Amino acid sequence: MSFDYDLFVIGGGSGGVRAARIAAGEYGARVALAEESRMGGTCVIRGCVPKKLMVFASQAGLMAEEMRGYGWEGAQAGRFDWSVFRPKLDAELTRLERAYTANLEKAGVRIFHQRATIVDHHTIALADGTRQTAKHILIAVGGRPALPGIPGEDLGLISDDLFLLDRLPRRAMVVGGGYIACEFATILAGLGCDTVQVYRGDAVLRGFDRQARDLATLQLGQIGIDLRLNVTPEGLERTGDRIRVMLNDGMTEDVDAVFWATGRDPYTGGLGLENTGVHLRPNGAIVVDEWSQTAVPSIFAVGDVTDRVNLTPVAIREGHAFADTVFGARPRKVGHAGIASAVYLRPHEVAQIGLTEEQACARGDVDVYATEFRPMRSMFAGSNAKVMMKLLVDPDTDRVLGCHVFGPDAGEMIQLAAIPIGMGATKADFDATMAVHPTAAEELVTMRTPARRHRLAVQAAGGTAAG
Ligand code: NDP
């Protein structure tokens, strides 16, 4: 049977673009890609890239405060002008979008700027009514913000909307305690918005190490966010040009904007998957094997739509491995364990790789090398903000099981720590590494004595040994 293409990719985000570019550019496959929105997907257009630029924009106040501590009398951040920033942001995203398109075209990929749905195991229907056939179909459509399902929720905005606002809200509420909620609340507060963050749990960033979570929770309050813990909205209603939020603690809040940051769902609705034998999990995620192959041999899926580890570099790696395997005769799997990540808060970021202290304790014996200290730079300026570094070590093998950093540029640090830890480094390897002085990161190679030793047998007997 002959097909129009060797590969048809649905979705022009991180995973889809990488797969298409490698399949066509490196392996000579005939590739088409459909994208219903802007090329680049969530990361480039409405996620990582605009978010990080806004994080940079939002730190002027903290920097001015620090500089006053260094003797720059009267140093002030001034007034943030969204009408200057927003067009610059738009221009940068347009530049990136063009670069993505150009790179695909250079590799010989045919791009359809329209929605695609699946008709059968080898056929795609495009929004213009035409049909295309392909030997392989790759689904890389990503995820979409999930709403909590409460009355009036349509009055709220989703994360995509932050980057498209005509003006910043004077008073905003961010709902959630995950990556997006904490980053958005930090950005909004840094840009001068009166920011309320409500989270249903007792410490933000569930899934991260508890010590880091507690420090992050504290920091959100310290930078001026009105953080309400153990609270969740029950309904929204319009009052004039504002929004009234009814909270489950009996309080109401009037704000100019509400941002839902209550998780993301795989974007599989309306894709035509009912026409195929592809299996979905209850949340709509596509079930794939270690080769990113679905239950249908001709259909593969990568990235957030599979809900494995929902991070851009993972989607890119999965897309690349798919192309190597299917078109390059170089079978490659992607490991999903031990992936580092960072949350871009200010002034201190949260970053981690491997097990949390809680997970390590549940797994077996662990020695915890941990330190909290006031770093030279901000302490000199009069700040009490603490940095935290932690290594979790298996006492039997000396292997480093996890690393956690709460501090300035923690994301940059964890990227480098991820290399030795991924290679199986021991605590002795860290100890043997000469410190770079004076840095904050040198603490990672100078912690000599465990702050705590957890022993499973002792815990089972009713306590935790410390020594
Ligand atoms: P997360 O899963 O990180 O957080 C969702 C938050 O919403 C949690 O605090 C959750 O609470 C809360 N929540 C969920 N449902 C409800 C509800 N019905 N009512 C109230 N609260 C609710 O998702 P995000 O949307 O923040 O981010 C999505 C993904 O995007 C992340 O998992 C991450 O992989 C990726 N991402 C990565 C970034 C980075 O690398 N820096 C930045 C942004 C996103 P609870 O904890 O109690 O379940």
Side-chain angles (χ1 to χ4, degrees), residues 238-249:
R238 186 164 284 291
T239 55
D241 57 358
R242 303 194 92 191
I243 298 164
R244 177 158 297 163
V245 186
M246 279 72 72
L247 299 168
N248 70 341
D249 61 359

Side-chain angles (χ1 to χ4, degrees), residues 171-174 194-198 226 228 231 233 235-239 242-258:
R171 182 169 163 76
M173 178 181 286
V174 179
D194 181 5
T195 306
V196 184
Q197 181 180 357
V198 299
D226 179 0
R228 316 272 180 88
V231 174
L236 272 56
E237 62 186 32
R238 186 164 284 291
T239 55
R242 303 194 92 191
I243 298 164
R244 177 158 297 163
V245 186
M246 279 72 72
L247 299 168
N248 70 341
D249 61 359
M251 304 282 283
T252 60
E253 287 295 330
D254 289 349
V255 295
D256 301 306
V258 175

Side-chain angles (χ1 to χ4, degrees), residues 36-232:
E36 65 177 345
S37 179
R38 296 178 66 181
M39 193 64 73
T42 300
C43 172
V44 175
I45 303 298
R46 57 192 85 85
C48 321
V49 172
K51 178 275 305 287
K52 193 88 189 259
L53 291 170
M54 287 188 74
V55 168
F56 293 143
S58 70
Q59 60 195 18
L62 290 167
M63 288 167 84
E65 188 184 332
E66 190 167 282
M67 285 306 109
R68 287 198 296 277
Y70 273 84
W72 287 88
E73 259 180 55
Q76 290 294 337
R79 189 183 66 84
F80 176 69
D81 191 343
W82 178 250
S83 71
V84 172
F85 177 81
R86 169 78 206 278
K88 286 197 74 176
L89 179 65
D90 288 346
E92 175 60 4
L93 301 187
T94 301
R95 183 187 73 77
L96 290 170
E97 186 183 8
R98 288 205 183 112
Y100 269 67
T101 307
N103 284 341
L104 278 181
E105 285 172 349
K106 208 165 89 192
V109 177
R110 167 103 193 258
I111 302 173
F112 295 97
H113 294 279
Q114 52 186 307
R115 182 164 172 77
T117 52
I118 299 176
V119 177
D120 64 37
H121 294 179
H122 294 284
T123 311
I124 301 288
L126 292 170
D128 65 6
T130 57
R131 291 188 172 202
Q132 311 291 330
T133 59
K135 185 169 183 202
H136 300 283
I137 295 171
L138 178 69
I139 304 170
V141 295
R144 288 292 178 277
L147 301 188
I150 60 169
E153 67 183 12
D154 290 344
L155 295 171
L157 302 173
I158 55 171
S159 52
D160 308 19
D161 298 320
L162 176 66
F163 314 113
L164 301 172
L165 293 172
D166 291 330
R167 58 192 159 84
L168 288 177
R170 265 176 297 122
R171 182 169 163 76
M173 178 181 286
V174 179
V175 183
Y179 283 83
I180 296 179
C182 295
E183 290 179 344
F184 270 36
T186 298
I187 289 169
L188 287 165
L191 295 181
C193 302
D194 181 5
T195 306
V196 184
Q197 181 180 357
V198 299
Y199 173 50
R200 64 186 179 183
D202 65 351
V204 295
L205 296 177
R206 195 160 60 81
F208 280 78
D209 186 88
R210 182 70 204 209
Q211 199 175 345
R213 294 176 63 195
D214 288 340
L215 288 164
T217 303
L218 190 70
Q219 175 175 278
L220 290 167
Q222 284 168 341
I223 63 166
I225 296 165
D226 179 0
L227 176 63
R228 316 272 180 88
L229 297 172
N230 303 307
V231 174
T232 198

Side-chain angles (χ1 to χ4, degrees), residues 345-370:
L345 308 183
R346 286 293 180 265
H348 293 176
E349 299 174 352
V350 181
Q352 73 168 13
I353 182 168
L355 302 182
T356 64
E357 186 171 342
E358 299 71 38
Q359 290 166 337
C361 289
R363 170 189 172 273
D365 295 349
V366 58
D367 288 345
V368 182
Y369 293 81

